[in-house]
Amino acid sequence: MSRAWQAALRQRGVAWVETSSSAAHAQGLAETVAAALREALVLRGEAKLALSGGRSPIPFLDALACQLLDWEDIKLTLVDERWVGCDQPDSNERLLRSHLQPVFDRLHWLPLYRGLSPVQDAAVAGTMLLEWQPLDLAVLGMGLDGHTASLFPGQPQVGEWLQPDAGTVCAATLAADESPRLTLTGRALHSARRQLLAISGEQKLQVLIGALERDPADCPIAAFLRAPLEIHYCSDQA
């Protein structure tokens, strides 16, 4: 931990977990999530979890599905979702259903996509998620542009949405390609008792290092680089 950026993370209270293989990364993250869920179950009798989609989390999701947990007492939602039905290839719900298949039907599932309109779906999901506050655990990812969830740099309202007191829990937004998305805002994500960020590869490491000196409106992940965040980094990008 001698590098300056690692010292900066320490000063912010951010924990750092590094692995050299993608298999160890996925397994370690799954075990960390399972331990956090068990703790919540013991303390509160239920656990509320928000997971990210995309391709990167697939090995982690497969490993998580093998963990022995009281899945019936776990509430699950997404950090963000493309505005598509779960029968579509790009659906994050479809991803979770597939890779958590052994346990998915035992979970209490709260979808973001409902097929009304992006704004209406965000309002419905946000109202329901108010009852889940605070979350016990949120697992975040990060893009090469510094976005996390579907909170993208340069969006007109991204500065507001990143705040812990954002006016909404779930927002309708647009990706860089103008495709509609649904995303949890800082009001939900900052509420999480534990926040994990999973990234892999040198490129994303450099984005993360740069984020320490950037404004969250231009690099949204910067809004989360403080306690209680725990970063799980794998040097192997595979």
Side-chain angles (χ1 to χ4, degrees), residues 161-183:
W161 287 336
L162 286 166
Q163 296 301 314
D165 60 352
T168 183
V169 174
C170 184
T173 185
L174 294 175
D177 63 2
E178 298 296 307
S179 61
R181 301 282 186 97
L182 300 164
T183 186

Side-chain angles (χ1 to χ4, degrees), residues 52-54 57-58 61 91-100:
S52 295
I58 288 175
L61 294 173
S91 165
N92 284 337
E93 178 177 342
R94 176 174 174 162
L95 180 87
L96 294 194
R97 286 184 177 277
S98 174
H99 293 278
L100 294 178

Side-chain angles (χ1 to χ4, degrees), residues 1-2 10 26 47-48 57 63 70 72 77 90 104 114 127 136 149 175 180-181 197 206 208 221-222:
M1 292 292 284
S2 60
R10 271 205 315 273
K48 294 162 287 188
D70 294 327
E72 292 83 358
T77 193
D90 288 342
F104 194 88
R114 294 164 185 276
T127 297
D136 290 297
R181 301 282 186 97
L197 171 63
Q206 292 305 315
L208 179 73
I221 193 61

Side-chain angles (χ1 to χ4, degrees), residues 10-100:
R10 271 205 315 273
Q11 290 171 358
R12 296 176 182 217
V14 176
W16 180 263
V17 179
E18 184 170 343
T19 53
S20 58
S21 77
S22 55
H25 179 68
Q27 186 63 33
L29 187 60
E31 291 175 0
T32 299
V33 169
L37 295 174
R38 290 190 191 100
E39 181 180 5
L41 290 170
V42 169
L43 293 175
R44 291 175 286 279
E46 65 176 10
K48 294 162 287 188
L49 170 65
L51 292 177
S52 295
R55 294 181 181 178
S56 299
I58 288 175
F60 152 66
L61 294 173
D62 290 338
L64 182 61
C66 297
Q67 297 294 312
L68 296 177
L69 288 161
D70 294 327
W71 292 102
E72 292 83 358
D73 297 320
I74 295 173
K75 296 179 176 180
L76 175 64
T77 193
L78 279 159
V79 166
D80 67 330
E81 177 64 285
R82 295 170 176 85
W83 199 70
V84 296
C86 64
D87 58 340
Q88 298 300 305
D90 288 342
S91 165
N92 284 337
E93 178 177 342
R94 176 174 174 162
L95 180 87
L96 294 194
R97 286 184 177 277
S98 174
H99 293 278
L100 294 178

